[in-house]
Amino acid sequence: MPIRALVWNENVHERTNETVAKQYPDGIHGAVASALAESEGVEVSTATLQEPEQGLSEERLAGTDVLFWWGHAHHGDVTDETTERVMRHVWSGMGFVALHSAHFSKPFKGLMGTPCNLSWREAGEKERIWTVAPSHPLAEGLPPFFELEPEEMYGEPFGIPEPEETVFVSWFEGGEVFRSGATWRRGGRVVYFRPGHETYPSYHDANVRQVLRNAARYAAGRRVTTAAESDAAPNVPASEAPEPFEARGPRLHKDGEAGFR
Amino acid sequence: MPIRALVWNENVHERTNETVAKQYPDGIHGAVASALAESEGVEVSTATLQEPEQGLSEERLAGTDVLFWWGHAHHGDVTDETTERVMRHVWSGMGFVALHSAHFSKPFKGLMGTPCNLSWREAGEKERIWTVAPSHPLAEGLPPFFELEPEEMYGEPFGIPEPEETVFVSWFEGGEVFRSGATWRRGGRVVYFRPGHETYPSYHDANVRQVLRNAARYAAGRRVTTAAESDAAPNVPASEAPEPFEARGPRLHKDGEAGFR
Amino acid sequence: MPIRALVWNENVHERTNETVAKQYPDGIHGAVASALAESEGVEVSTATLQEPEQGLSEERLAGTDVLFWWGHAHHGDVTDETTERVMRHVWSGMGFVALHSAHFSKPFKGLMGTPCNLSWREAGEKERIWTVAPSHPLAEGLPPFFELEPEEMYGEPFGIPEPEETVFVSWFEGGEVFRSGATWRRGGRVVYFRPGHETYPSYHDANVRQVLRNAARYAAGRRVTTAAESDAAPNVPASEAPEPFEARGPRLHKDGEAGFR
Amino acid sequence: MPIRALVWNENVHERTNETVAKQYPDGIHGAVASALAESEGVEVSTATLQEPEQGLSEERLAGTDVLFWWGHAHHGDVTDETTERVMRHVWSGMGFVALHSAHFSKPFKGLMGTPCNLSWREAGEKERIWTVAPSHPLAEGLPPFFELEPEEMYGEPFGIPEPEETVFVSWFEGGEVFRSGATWRRGGRVVYFRPGHETYPSYHDANVRQVLRNAARYAAGRRVTTAAESDAAPNVPASEAPEPFEARGPRLHKDGEAGFR
């Protein structure tokens, strides 16, 4: 079965800033999608902030194995309802790949439980991305390091939970370092990948595009529950316990009653 | 310097349910605080939902090294504002210990980024808590296992991120298992410890009380930033980069301008 | 490309103990291999302790994507040379799946860096294996829990490093718990899966066989280096540094000289 | 109770190389010990390769809460017996802090289960060490980054297991990055801290010395077993199971019999 990848983009600077429009005439979502489309076995579609339900209806998400996310200036326009819908799908098994400034997107911050802050500088400097976990699927087909220039600097400390695996670390011309590729599980797999400032051509870089394809395969997940049921907390009556035993003691709840939330 | 521990409790069932009132005449917060007070070098105070700002003002939190949390039926009465205040203090270094039904508390869910759901059964059964990481500070002074009876059953899957360290795993008479002691870092240390259903005497148990004291010492943290500044994202101008270099390329931002959120 | 799985077995009790011989007329390796062979896209072969180089020549390993390992009474007959050869292939990207009593095998202990000890009891009791990470690839297609009876008990503390992900936890009739499915990366993926005492029919169980197939797909890895080069420590002369700079200061080594080991 | 720190050093270059002798007239062990001695509540002693049992007798180790290790050119002179003795003490709870070229020491490689290899360059360049986990105890009292010049370059990929927590990441003048501070648990805590090439004055640097003191407090551990018993695998007879049940089924072993290793 093919992997169903959905690339979401706020899609604002591409329409309002000439530099960005020239870099990404098909939008950043278009550039990311075109990288994924070069993979066999990946079906790609795109969605943007301007669509109804911000392009992320229950139906769209239910048909998605891995969601890529790019946003920057309009994080706040993604509603709490949409954010929770996305999070529930990740909880139920969908993969989520946060790109560049999506570190401050509402779903990524919600999934991390941390501020996801960092220091930054927009000065067109050189970034050298080192693979620190060469055998990790995210690093497949990459050289020991690759360079992007110009890129925006993101500097440590990056306000994330300790990654399950740190895969890439960046060296910046201006003297900083950054954990540029990292993974977590929140039901589904979550990946953060750093490059991609909108005024620079990073999503046309061959190595960046290879990482995007790797991320689609790595993070794509099967559903283990419906999104609606992703936080179910079933009350298992004593009579249905795997081992028979005699219930006893004082109780607040009746059999099968829903718990407090 | 002593560790400043604050024990927060919603403090409702103790005042409205006769069974709970008898188990915990000083409130669950009182029982937890009395365990911590047996430690040298720990200063304990308590706070409850009924106090102004739910007992968790900026000032209270700023003077706290580790916050214990018990809640069950009134999670929703903790405001979003208070929840964010607590989370910011954890991000800036304060420890947080979630007890029992606090798995569904707003700060714990927010810090985890996952639903924190589980299956459950209130049937007074036997729980046997095994230490799987004997050299972990949370396990100091404990036997290989200890038993609680009666206790409520919490069953896997527990909807949490993979713990940094899983310290305790429970065996239940009815046939389930549960990761009953687990740790994460979210700036400050976060600990989850399972026992403590309000109709049962678990917080009077010597081993449970030992874990509470261990958790105070283990999770207490120093502040590395103010809570207000816990999500700062400083724009570092090229002229202040650690390494001198020539800024270049197209830009969206001016030096020192705040980034988008 | 198909996954090339190699199933290694010490293959002694099957030939010397009548009970085991009846349970596994084709050897435990035969039973494990037959489970893997039910997967599309997996090519399976087997090797045993009795073969030259214990069945694990450089050539065999170089053609293996994931190695399954079962051993019990003859761990010590695997030479240090073979153990190091296996470890180097894991370091260079090959997957390794340790089954049951392979917790004490030389390659698994070497890869973990810990004693890998546990408590145990051979009393034919009931084991109930719970999935604690339902969306993990190891758990694909499994029910919330499954039971094996009779099985040997393995009890905590299990002397392993904190797993990257704990996937299965067992409940035992006699009152113990155990982390029965766990993963690590050591270059290639390492998986431990608990069931499989040789006097019991566990490798004929449908759920166990499903986990074996899942493990083959999950742990199979590509090589990122040769096994011989898996511990290379290249001396990078200043003249070949990614950034040009002036070498300076006192030195112990000449350019390109090998470092100390 | 004070923390008992033991600083071990191979102590060869200090005696055979004039540059090193000038940098460290009291030996590298002397410099490290003098940093630790500035901490209240830490009792420091030293041991060197030249002493009987390489300075690491059972008695020495039994009286040690945390062992610091510096070696470079004479890793091979540490016997397998001493290596196993050290590892057993870590397994039973002692902390272990590997400094600089100790990445290739026998106890560190044994505890990691990986090659612990890296790329390197001895060219006196600038190293800038960033704290990526500011609230971690290893980072207490440090600025956001500090610089060492001259230092040796160590470059990724560093052949280690994914750290439990990555605390420091280095930026090198020549263009590389390195995970310079990382932690694991192997029973006791294990810490790796990168700086300290013997021809350079890094162990006289105030920030490096602060990290050494932090590491002593962070890694010092209590014993949970004797070193001899650190890999015990007790056979628990059915009659002594926590839950009474009827033993059944075919058996290889008698009650209380030792298992195979």
Side-chain angles (χ1 to χ4, degrees):
Chain A
M1 274 195 313
I3 290 169
R4 298 165 302 173
L6 178 60
V7 181
W8 186 91
N9 181 18
E10 70 177 33
N11 189 32
V12 174
H13 278 138
E14 294 94 326
R15 299 179 299 135
T16 60
N17 180 298
E18 202 176 333
T19 305
V20 181
K22 275 190 191 160
Q23 286 288 7
Y24 297 107
D26 302 320
I28 287 177
H29 52 295
V32 171
S34 75
L36 302 185
E38 292 163 11
S39 261
E40 265 187 72
V42 178
E43 282 176 9
V44 195
S45 61
T46 62
T48 62
L49 181 60
Q50 294 78 34
E51 300 173 28
E53 298 185 84
Q54 294 112 60
L56 296 165
S57 66
E58 181 58 34
E59 197 185 350
R60 274 319 273 287
L61 292 169
T64 297
D65 299 318
V66 55
L67 175 63
F68 285 71
W69 191 282
W70 198 99
H72 188 192
H74 292 265
H75 296 313
D77 294 353
V78 177
T79 64
D80 288 350
E81 195 186 350
T82 295
T83 301
E84 186 184 325
R85 202 183 308 128
V86 169
M87 288 175 67
R88 280 182 173 273
H89 277 275
V90 176
W91 294 348
S92 66
M94 181 182 75
F96 184 84
V97 181
L99 298 173
H100 189 63
S101 43
H103 71 90
F104 263 162
S105 66
K106 289 166 77 173
F108 185 67
K109 287 198 298 180
L111 291 165
M112 294 293 101
T114 56
C116 301
N117 56 327
L118 44 81
S119 69
W120 59 283
R121 178 175 55 237
E122 189 193 22
E125 67 203 273
K126 184 197 291 183
E127 174 179 18
R128 181 178 296 106
I129 300 182
W130 289 88
T131 296
V132 308
S135 57
H136 194 283
L138 276 182
E140 189 162 348
L142 293 181
F145 65 80
F146 62 96
E147 296 177 359
L148 298 172
E149 185 181 357
E151 249 300 353
E152 189 177 17
M153 183 281 288
Y154 277 9
E156 294 281 350
F158 185 14
I160 48 173
E162 181 69 29
E164 192 171 309
E165 298 189 79
T166 299
V167 181
F168 303 119
V169 173
S170 290
W171 179 102
F172 287 97
E173 185 181 351
E176 283 90 353
V177 295
F178 197 74
R179 290 170 290 173
S180 286
T183 72
W184 301 263
R185 186 182 295 286
R186 293 291 184 268
R189 279 256 170 246
V190 180
V191 171
Y192 178 79
F193 183 50
R194 201 211 74 83
H197 188 51
E198 61 262 54
T199 61
Y200 305 142
S202 297
Y203 292 120
H204 303 309
D205 177 84
N207 287 308
V208 168
R209 293 167 74 84
Q210 176 71 20
V211 176
L212 297 174
R213 286 188 293 271
N214 291 346
R217 278 191 300 273
Y218 173 68
R222 69 201 155 80
R223 290 303 193 288
V224 292
T225 178
T226 64
E229 285 295 295
S230 65
D231 65 348
N235 180 344
V236 181
S239 57
E240 295 175 21
E243 294 292 316
F245 77 103
E246 191 80 21
R248 54 199 186 267
R251 301 177 66 180
L252 286 174
H253 299 276
K254 293 178 194 155
D255 278 0
E257 192 179 303
F260 300 119
R261 282 181 188 259
Chain B
M1 272 195 316
I3 290 170
R4 299 165 301 174
L6 178 58
V7 181
W8 187 92
N9 181 17
E10 69 177 34
N11 189 33
V12 175
H13 279 139
E14 294 95 327
R15 298 179 301 133
T16 60
N17 178 299
E18 202 175 336
T19 305
V20 181
K22 276 189 189 160
Q23 287 288 8
Y24 297 108
D26 302 320
I28 287 176
H29 53 294
V32 171
S34 75
L36 303 185
E38 293 164 9
S39 261
E40 265 189 71
V42 179
E43 281 177 8
V44 196
S45 61
T46 62
T48 61
L49 180 62
Q50 293 77 36
E51 299 173 29
E53 299 184 83
Q54 295 111 61
L56 297 165
S57 67
E58 181 58 35
E59 197 186 350
R60 271 322 270 289
L61 291 170
T64 297
D65 300 318
V66 55
L67 176 61
F68 285 72
W69 193 281
W70 198 98
H72 188 191
H74 293 263
H75 296 313
D77 294 353
V78 176
T79 65
D80 287 351
E81 196 186 349
T82 295
T83 301
E84 186 184 324
R85 203 183 306 128
V86 168
M87 287 175 67
R88 280 182 173 273
H89 277 276
V90 175
W91 294 348
S92 66
M94 180 182 76
F96 185 85
V97 181
L99 298 173
H100 188 63
S101 43
H103 71 90
F104 263 162
S105 67
K106 289 167 75 173
F108 185 67
K109 287 197 297 181
L111 291 164
M112 294 292 102
T114 55
C116 302
N117 57 326
L118 45 81
S119 69
W120 59 284
R121 177 175 56 237
E122 189 194 22
E125 68 203 272
K126 185 197 290 185
E127 173 179 18
R128 180 178 297 108
I129 299 183
W130 289 89
T131 296
V132 308
S135 57
H136 194 284
L138 276 182
E140 189 163 346
L142 292 182
F145 66 81
F146 62 96
E147 296 177 358
L148 298 172
E149 185 182 355
E151 250 298 354
E152 188 178 16
M153 183 280 289
Y154 277 9
E156 294 281 351
F158 185 15
I160 49 172
E162 182 68 31
E164 193 171 308
E165 298 189 79
T166 298
V167 182
F168 303 119
V169 174
S170 289
W171 178 102
F172 286 98
E173 186 181 350
E176 283 89 353
V177 295
F178 198 74
R179 290 169 291 173
S180 286
T183 73
W184 302 262
R185 186 181 297 283
R186 293 290 183 268
R189 280 255 170 248
V190 180
V191 171
Y192 178 78
F193 183 50
R194 203 211 72 83
H197 188 53
E198 61 262 55
T199 60
Y200 305 141
S202 297
Y203 293 120
H204 303 309
D205 177 84
N207 287 307
V208 168
R209 293 167 74 86
Q210 176 70 20
V211 176
L212 296 173
R213 286 189 293 269
N214 291 348
R217 279 191 301 273
Y218 173 68
R222 66 199 158 80
R223 290 304 194 288
V224 292
T225 179
T226 64
E229 284 296 294
S230 64
D231 65 349
N235 180 344
V236 182
S239 59
E240 295 175 20
E243 294 292 314
F245 77 103
E246 192 79 19
R248 54 198 186 267
R251 301 176 67 180
L252 287 175
H253 299 277
K254 295 180 192 151
D255 278 2
E257 193 180 302
F260 300 120
R261 282 180 188 260
Chain C
M1 272 195 318
I3 291 169
R4 298 165 300 173
L6 178 60
V7 181
W8 186 92
N9 181 17
E10 69 176 34
N11 189 32
V12 174
H13 278 138
E14 294 94 327
R15 299 179 299 134
T16 60
N17 179 298
E18 200 175 338
T19 305
V20 181
K22 275 190 191 160
Q23 286 288 6
Y24 297 108
D26 301 320
I28 286 177
H29 53 295
V32 171
S34 75
L36 303 185
E38 292 163 10
S39 262
E40 267 188 70
V42 178
E43 281 177 7
V44 195
S45 60
T46 63
T48 61
L49 179 61
Q50 293 77 36
E51 299 174 28
E53 298 185 86
Q54 294 111 60
L56 296 166
S57 67
E58 181 59 34
E59 197 186 351
R60 273 319 272 289
L61 290 170
T64 297
D65 299 317
V66 56
L67 175 62
F68 285 71
W69 191 282
W70 198 99
H72 189 191
H74 292 263
H75 296 314
D77 295 352
V78 177
T79 65
D80 287 350
E81 196 187 350
T82 294
T83 301
E84 187 185 324
R85 202 183 307 127
V86 168
M87 288 176 66
R88 280 182 174 274
H89 277 276
V90 175
W91 294 349
S92 66
M94 180 183 74
F96 185 85
V97 181
L99 298 173
H100 188 63
S101 43
H103 70 92
F104 262 162
S105 66
K106 289 167 76 173
F108 185 67
K109 288 197 298 180
L111 291 164
M112 294 293 102
T114 55
C116 301
N117 56 325
L118 44 80
S119 70
W120 59 284
R121 178 175 55 237
E122 189 194 24
E125 68 204 272
K126 184 196 293 184
E127 173 179 20
R128 180 178 296 107
I129 299 182
W130 288 88
T131 296
V132 308
S135 58
H136 195 283
L138 276 182
E140 190 163 345
L142 293 181
F145 66 80
F146 62 96
E147 297 177 357
L148 298 172
E149 186 182 354
E151 250 299 353
E152 188 177 18
M153 183 282 289
Y154 277 10
E156 295 281 351
F158 185 15
I160 48 173
E162 181 69 30
E164 193 170 307
E165 297 189 80
T166 299
V167 182
F168 303 118
V169 173
S170 289
W171 179 103
F172 287 97
E173 185 180 351
E176 283 89 353
V177 295
F178 197 74
R179 290 170 289 174
S180 287
T183 72
W184 302 262
R185 186 182 296 284
R186 293 290 184 267
R189 280 257 170 244
V190 180
V191 171
Y192 177 79
F193 183 50
R194 202 210 74 81
H197 187 53
E198 61 262 55
T199 60
Y200 305 142
S202 296
Y203 292 120
H204 303 309
D205 177 84
N207 286 307
V208 168
R209 293 168 74 85
Q210 176 70 20
V211 176
L212 296 174
R213 286 189 293 270
N214 291 347
R217 279 191 300 274
Y218 174 68
R222 67 199 157 81
R223 290 304 195 286
V224 292
T225 180
T226 64
E229 284 295 296
S230 64
D231 65 349
N235 180 346
V236 181
S239 58
E240 295 174 21
E243 294 293 315
F245 77 102
E246 191 78 22
R248 54 200 187 266
R251 301 176 66 179
L252 287 175
H253 299 277
K254 294 179 194 153
D255 278 0
E257 192 180 301
F260 300 120
R261 283 180 186 261
Chain D
M1 272 194 315
I3 290 169
R4 299 166 300 173
L6 178 59
V7 181
W8 186 92
N9 181 17
E10 70 177 34
N11 189 34
V12 174
H13 279 139
E14 294 94 326
R15 300 179 299 133
T16 60
N17 179 297
E18 202 175 334
T19 306
V20 181
K22 275 190 190 160
Q23 286 288 7
Y24 297 107
D26 301 321
I28 287 177
H29 53 295
V32 171
S34 76
L36 303 185
E38 293 163 12
S39 260
E40 264 188 72
V42 178
E43 282 178 7
V44 196
S45 60
T46 62
T48 60
L49 180 61
Q50 293 77 35
E51 300 174 27
E53 299 184 85
Q54 294 111 59
L56 296 165
S57 67
E58 180 59 34
E59 196 186 351
R60 272 322 270 288
L61 291 170
T64 297
D65 299 317
V66 56
L67 175 63
F68 285 70
W69 192 281
W70 197 99
H72 189 192
H74 293 264
H75 296 314
D77 295 353
V78 177
T79 63
D80 287 350
E81 194 186 351
T82 295
T83 301
E84 185 184 325
R85 202 184 306 127
V86 169
M87 288 175 67
R88 280 181 172 273
H89 277 276
V90 176
W91 295 348
S92 67
M94 180 182 75
F96 184 85
V97 181
L99 298 173
H100 189 62
S101 43
H103 70 91
F104 263 162
S105 66
K106 289 166 76 171
F108 185 66
K109 287 198 297 181
L111 291 165
M112 294 292 102
T114 56
C116 302
N117 56 327
L118 45 81
S119 69
W120 59 284
R121 177 173 58 236
E122 189 193 24
E125 67 204 272
K126 185 197 290 184
E127 173 179 19
R128 182 178 295 107
I129 299 182
W130 290 88
T131 296
V132 308
S135 57
H136 195 282
L138 277 182
E140 189 161 347
L142 293 181
F145 65 81
F146 63 96
E147 297 176 359
L148 298 172
E149 185 182 355
E151 249 300 351
E152 189 178 16
M153 183 282 288
Y154 277 9
E156 294 281 350
F158 186 14
I160 48 173
E162 181 69 31
E164 192 170 312
E165 298 190 79
T166 299
V167 181
F168 303 119
V169 174
S170 289
W171 178 103
F172 286 97
E173 186 181 350
E176 284 89 353
V177 295
F178 197 74
R179 289 169 291 173
S180 286
T183 72
W184 302 262
R185 185 182 296 285
R186 294 290 185 266
R189 278 258 170 246
V190 180
V191 171
Y192 177 79
F193 183 50
R194 200 210 75 84
H197 188 53
E198 60 262 55
T199 61
Y200 305 141
S202 297
Y203 292 121
H204 303 308
D205 177 83
N207 287 307
V208 168
R209 292 167 74 85
Q210 177 70 20
V211 176
L212 296 174
R213 287 189 293 272
N214 291 347
R217 278 191 301 274
Y218 174 68
R222 68 200 156 81
R223 290 302 194 290
V224 292
T225 180
T226 64
E229 284 295 296
S230 65
D231 64 350
N235 179 345
V236 181
S239 57
E240 295 175 21
E243 293 293 315
F245 77 103
E246 191 80 20
R248 53 197 185 268
R251 302 177 67 179
L252 287 174
H253 299 278
K254 294 179 193 153
D255 278 1
E257 191 180 302
F260 300 119
R261 283 180 188 259

